Amino acid sequence: MTRSDEELAVGLLAATPTHEDRAPELLLRWARVALAYGDELVPLVPIISVLTKDSHGGVTDGQVTLAEYNRRTDVVTVYRDSVELLASLSGEDPAALRTAAVAHEVVHRHLHGPPARELRRRLDHCALRVGRLRVRGHVAGADEVVAHRFAHRVGGLRRSPLSLTALFADSLVVQGG
């Protein structure tokens, strides 16, 4: 059965440490907010605004990394071996996977300062309350949902990155026994 991005986003949030005991309705609300925020970023965040480099070494010790953003150097490294592995499992075009991986990392780059505060405001997670004072907290995993959604919208993939992540995780479980 194919699950929607909303269902997959709820699953991602539910599997994130600190959310184990959160109400499903709350996780659903957060997932919807994060998906909508990812949609809104499409016209605002140019993916060509970052330098990229290709490398190997994304598949190591049972972990797979498609790409990663280095804040210090402002460069996104795309791991060809990981892109090729996911392409072989999913049937997606490697060029589209690469574009989506870069887009995902560009959103992580973007989600600092005001954009991160705006996401926290929209998620409205109260981490601390003292009288009328409320401190909004970070919702672990919400930035991943935003980045996956953005990558889907600009990457040219047939399937969403959330569904590709689920496919990849399922294939690791099957391969691992």
Side-chain angles (χ1 to χ4, degrees):
M1 181 173 107
T2 304
R3 294 183 289 167
S4 70
D5 272 2
E6 198 172 88
E7 293 168 317
L8 292 166
V10 168
L12 184 149
L13 292 173
T16 302
T18 73
H19 298 324
E20 301 94 344
D21 297 322
R22 305 267 188 212
E25 299 80 22
L26 177 62
L27 296 175
L28 178 60
R29 186 177 69 74
W30 285 346
R32 287 178 174 160
V33 167
L35 290 167
Y37 196 62
D39 288 338
E40 288 177 34
L41 292 179
V42 171
L44 304 175
V45 180
I47 65 169
I48 59 170
S49 65
V50 68
L51 295 173
T52 62
K53 71 175 185 175
D54 288 280
S55 187
H56 283 277
V59 181
T60 56
D61 300 327
Q63 294 186 337
V64 178
T65 304
L66 285 179
E68 54 191 352
Y69 171 66
N70 183 318
R71 192 172 183 186
R72 187 179 50 78
T73 62
D74 200 34
V75 173
V76 172
T77 301
V78 180
Y79 295 102
R80 284 185 159 162
D81 51 341
S82 298
V83 169
E84 291 166 7
L85 176 61
L86 187 54
S88 70
L89 287 171
S90 68
E92 290 285 349
D93 174 46
L97 284 169
R98 185 188 189 285
T99 299
V102 170
H104 181 102
E105 296 305 319
V106 166
V107 165
H108 283 301
R109 174 186 184 230
H110 179 76
L111 286 177
H112 294 282
R117 284 192 296 277
E118 177 59 17
L119 178 59
R120 276 196 309 274
R121 184 191 71 73
R122 291 180 186 198
L123 292 165
D124 198 31
H125 170 50
C126 181
L128 176 68
R129 184 183 307 243
V130 179
R132 293 185 325 194
L133 175 68
R134 287 182 46 186
V135 176
R136 287 191 179 101
H138 173 75
V139 175
D143 57 333
E144 282 300 314
V145 174
V146 171
H148 279 344
R149 180 59 151 236
F150 179 85
H152 186 210
R153 297 296 187 229
V154 303
L157 297 170
R158 290 177 289 129
R159 296 170 67 174
S160 77
L162 284 163
S163 67
L164 292 172
T165 300
L167 167 79
F168 192 70
D170 291 346
S171 74
L172 290 178
V173 169
V174 169
Q175 290 174 9

